[in-house]
Amino acid sequence: MPFPPSARITSDGTSPWPVEPGRYRLVVNRACPFSGRVLVVRRLVGLEAALPVAVTDPLHDDRGWRFTLDPEGHDPVLGIRYLAEAYEAAAPGYDGGVSVPAVVDVPGGRVVTNDHDTLTRDLATQWRHLHRPGAPDLYPAELRADIDALNSELADDVFFGVYTCGFAKTQEEYSAAFRRLFDRLDVLEERLRTRRYLHGDTITESDIRLFTTLVRFDAAYHGLFRCNRNKLTEMPVLWAYMRDLFQTPGFGDTVHFADIKLHYHAVLTELNPRGIVPEGPDLSVWHTPHNRERLGGRPFGDGTPPPAAT
């Protein structure tokens, strides 16, 4: 759920929060799939300078996400030790969940939005005048209805479905979520057999959302969340599709498997009481040939790949 006062940042005058380069700070955690979406979009369209990023520690304490990766344990721009401080600044007395990604207004030090659902779409559209030359159109007007419909289906069955499997309180709840998850993955396996990307020949926001969940599948969800009918690597079409995306500039270079494994296995003590972090899986397989080029397609449409990550 979005933070209660959460608002959209727009360039069309529909929000009190205007798009301004350098005004906001994007707070993420590299273990979080919803943060991952924003990092991929930001990189593909070239918003790194316009929307600087702050990275929280994959481990946290009872106050939640913290800036212990930074010198002296506080964010050098916001001057805070915990993201919760920016939530409190936006809603004094707030004692609800503190989630990432979150966009903080730097002058006011307060959270503006943590709505991951609208944030990626807004970065692709409302921030367009700040995109790099050659930025791909990730949310093309002619596909928006189809993208929104598929995103909604994937959210119910996959993006949140893995969490329902992991945190189910009854056998019935778990089994129902498990069936929905793998039924949907089977549908995707067939959908992607004859098309390179979810909506055809070019990457869209749907591909980004699916990527950031499935890239975590074998490293976290298969074992820890009991999503264990099979591994991603055992679904040949989806596995090739995911390697194709992983090897595309802007995707794999935003993924940090060490943070992913550490966060899920060391923080979620309800599921892993001893906090032991697994050594596997073998990550070198992400760099093996995928052979998806045979399907054709233009990953960035009329645009160009982002420059090499620094």
Side-chain angles (χ1 to χ4, degrees), residues 144-217:
R144 288 180 185 177
D146 292 338
I147 290 172
D148 291 348
L150 181 59
N151 286 354
S152 178
E153 293 173 355
L154 295 179
D156 291 341
D157 298 339
V158 181
F159 308 148
F160 295 107
V162 293
Y163 286 90
T164 304
C165 287
F167 292 95
K169 300 301 182 184
T170 66
Q171 183 68 49
E172 292 73 20
E173 182 186 10
Y174 163 71
S175 296
F178 181 95
R179 287 192 297 270
R180 288 195 306 271
L181 169 64
F182 282 101
D183 285 349
R184 178 64 61 184
L185 294 183
D186 288 339
V187 169
L188 293 173
E189 182 89 347
E190 292 306 311
R191 182 186 184 108
L192 290 163
R193 194 175 298 279
T194 56
R195 64 178 83 185
R196 190 163 179 186
Y197 305 107
L198 288 171
H199 294 285
D201 289 340
T202 61
I203 291 165
T204 66
E205 203 212 8
S206 295
D207 297 289
I208 295 167
R209 294 186 181 210
L210 182 59
F211 173 82
T212 60
T213 288
L214 292 190
V215 79
R216 290 158 170 78
F217 199 88

Side-chain angles (χ1 to χ4, degrees), residues 12-39:
D12 58 11
T14 59
S15 167
W17 299 99
V19 172
E20 292 181 15
R23 173 171 177 172
Y24 306 100
R25 192 152 176 80
L26 172 64
V27 182
V28 300
N29 188 270
R30 294 181 301 201
C32 167
F34 304 103
S35 291
R37 298 176 181 180
V38 186
L39 291 174

Side-chain angles (χ1 to χ4, degrees), residues 54-77:
V55 178
T56 57
D57 196 317
L59 301 177
H60 56 65
D61 57 25
D62 56 0
R63 290 198 64 186
W65 301 112
R66 55 189 183 172
F67 296 101
T68 40
L69 300 181
D70 292 302
E72 301 181 10
H74 60 76
D75 181 79
V77 174

Side-chain angles (χ1 to χ4, degrees), residues 73-121:
H74 60 76
D75 181 79
V77 174
L78 300 173
I80 57 177
R81 295 183 177 277
Y82 290 88
L83 179 56
E85 297 172 57
Y87 275 76
E88 171 70 19
Y94 176 73
D95 60 358
V98 174
S99 65
V100 287
V103 179
V104 179
D105 175 50
V106 173
R110 55 163 290 179
V111 171
V112 175
T113 181
N114 69 349
D115 189 348
H116 58 79
D117 188 52
T118 61
L119 181 54
T120 49
R121 291 201 298 271

Side-chain angles (χ1 to χ4, degrees), residues 227-277:
C227 300
N228 59 356
R229 190 194 74 179
N230 50 259
K231 298 176 181 177
L232 175 66
T233 54
E234 296 166 347
M235 303 191 75
V237 175
L238 271 173
W239 174 227
Y241 162 80
M242 284 294 292
R243 297 201 314 282
D244 187 3
L245 289 178
F246 186 88
Q247 295 168 30
T248 298
F251 283 83
D253 51 34
T254 67
V255 176
H256 294 260
F257 281 113
D259 283 15
I260 290 168
K261 293 199 300 179
L262 180 60
H263 171 74
Y264 279 98
H265 292 90
V267 170
L268 302 181
T269 53
E270 175 184 349
L271 303 179
N272 187 30
R274 296 185 180 179
I276 296 173
V277 179

